[in-house]
Amino acid sequence: MKYTLHQLQIFLEISQCKSITKTAETLHLSQPAVSIQLKNLQDQFSIPLTEVVGRKLYVTEFGMEIAKAAQKIIEEVDAINYKSLSYAGKLSGKIKISVASTGKYVMPYFLSDFMNKHKGVDLIMDVTNKTKVLRSMERNEVDFALVSVLPKKLKVNSVELMQNQLYFVGGSQLELEQVPTQKELFTKLPLIYREEGSATRNAMEQFITKHSYQVRKKIELTSNEAVKQAVQAGLGFSIMPLIGIKNELKEKELQIIPVKGLPISTTWQVIWLSSKNLSPAAKTYLEYLKLNKERIIESHFSWIKNYQS
């Protein structure tokens, strides 16, 4: 048999995503490239690794056993690489971070200098909604998570980073001849929501419930980018995190509409399980974060002060 480490890495991702398309997106490869590597790996075995029923891809029982073996092989190869770097006196290892979707505008700035300095450290960052972030932490699948609201059911330690502020936002092409009352903003205009499980949606619903507004029309979209594009296009209004609309405000593609009681303010925090035995790489990153967070905020996020009252 002549299967390669690259083929095993791709197949392991396929076994987790159950999709050629999602695997290609995760690994930053083309779909044909993923399909070819899957076929090349399958050619090594007489028993099917996957099967397609309808349009859905399934990993067979044999395929799952191969995926488990691939996981062990990849982990051993990683261990060899990390040990060689360690003997050379370099920090090595892997850091896994799960990030609430809007946090993708924040977390990279708190990682870039560290990753550039420590070439032997690998990073895996999963960007998803709050519910899935907390699930991955509860299952001990990650070292850290970036959240804007601390979980109530998990014992965690945390490092506060910066404020997360949510404003009422509309497309700049909308010229309101007569500014609606606050109640009319919610009862007469279509509102665009994030999906269930999103911290932004939770904050938005709590604000609406607190003020007893009856929403006329709801539109639900599954990412902050989708909401942003919809608001820009004039499809409706939304309560959105300021951190994600910097460029659109600068280019006057979006506008903040003053609403009493807004912005909603929470705090971005890096959290980890209190019982977590952090790796040397994770411990070093934590020390870096505590020492450098103020410098990073001042360097990359000082523009936020322009919108704060």
Side-chain angles (χ1 to χ4, degrees), residues 251-265:
E251 298 300 324
K252 301 187 184 305
E253 296 170 343
L254 292 176
Q255 61 177 316
I256 291 175
I257 300 172
V259 171
K260 187 178 180 180
L262 294 179
I264 300 167
S265 292

Side-chain angles (χ1 to χ4, degrees), residues 8 11-12 15 45 48-49 59-73:
L8 293 178
F11 182 67
L12 178 59
S15 72
F45 304 98
L49 298 170
V59 179
T60 64
E61 184 177 352
F62 174 70
M64 291 307 299
E65 290 300 317
I66 297 301
K68 290 177 185 177
Q71 176 81 63
K72 293 178 181 178
I73 292 169

Side-chain angles (χ1 to χ4, degrees), residues 29 46 140-141 267:
L29 297 170
S46 59
N140 197 29
E141 296 172 347
T267 302

Side-chain angles (χ1 to χ4, degrees), residues 25-39:
E25 291 174 354
T26 302
L27 299 178
H28 305 290
L29 297 170
S30 67
Q31 292 184 39
V34 171
S35 297
I36 289 170
Q37 292 303 320
L38 175 59
K39 181 182 183 302

Side-chain angles (χ1 to χ4, degrees), residues 267-293:
T267 302
W268 285 115
Q269 301 184 64
V270 171
I271 64 172
W272 65 98
L273 290 174
S274 300
S275 58
K276 181 76 174 177
N277 184 20
L278 295 174
S279 68
K283 287 180 180 177
T284 304
Y285 175 65
L286 204 53
E287 292 170 5
Y288 162 84
L289 193 61
K290 292 175 181 177
L291 288 172
N292 292 277
K293 64 176 185 175

Side-chain angles (χ1 to χ4, degrees), residues 143-302:
D143 299 304
F144 303 109
L146 179 68
V147 298
S148 58
V149 179
L150 288 176
K152 296 180 180 179
K153 297 182 180 180
L154 292 177
K155 291 183 179 180
V156 298
N157 297 325
S158 65
V159 174
E160 290 190 0
L161 297 186
M162 54 185 283
Q163 276 196 324
N164 176 42
Q165 295 190 315
L166 285 73
Y167 288 83
F168 195 87
V169 177
S172 59
Q173 80 280 6
L174 294 171
E175 296 182 6
L176 303 176
E177 295 179 1
Q178 183 178 359
V179 179
T181 65
Q182 182 159 320
K183 185 175 182 180
E184 287 175 337
L185 284 174
F186 292 89
T187 58
K188 292 188 176 182
L189 302 175
L191 282 184
I192 302 174
Y193 286 69
R194 282 284 307 280
E195 78 284 4
E196 291 281 357
S198 159
T200 299
R201 175 175 178 140
N202 290 343
M204 186 172 173
E205 289 181 330
Q206 288 171 12
F207 178 82
I208 291 170
T209 300
K210 179 181 177 181
H211 292 84
S212 302
Y213 295 138
Q214 297 296 318
V215 176
R216 180 180 74 86
K217 185 176 182 180
K218 292 168 59 174
I219 300 169
E220 182 177 310
L221 299 174
T222 57
S223 74
N224 194 65
E225 286 299 313
V227 172
K228 185 162 58 176
Q229 292 298 320
V231 174
Q232 277 184 248
L235 195 57
F237 296 77
S238 190
I239 294 178
M240 302 184 67
L242 178 63
I243 195 69
I245 57 174
K246 173 186 176 182
N247 293 333
E248 288 75 18
L249 290 172
K250 183 179 179 181
E251 298 300 324
K252 301 187 184 305
E253 296 170 343
L254 292 176
Q255 61 177 316
I256 291 175
I257 300 172
V259 171
K260 187 178 180 180
L262 294 179
I264 300 167
S265 292
T266 56
T267 302
W268 285 115
Q269 301 184 64
V270 171
I271 64 172
W272 65 98
L273 290 174
S274 300
S275 58
K276 181 76 174 177
N277 184 20
L278 295 174
S279 68
K283 287 180 180 177
T284 304
Y285 175 65
L286 204 53
E287 292 170 5
Y288 162 84
L289 193 61
K290 292 175 181 177
L291 288 172
N292 292 277
K293 64 176 185 175
E294 296 300 333
R295 173 185 61 80
I296 295 168
I297 292 169
E298 182 60 31
S299 176
H300 297 288
F301 301 103
S302 58

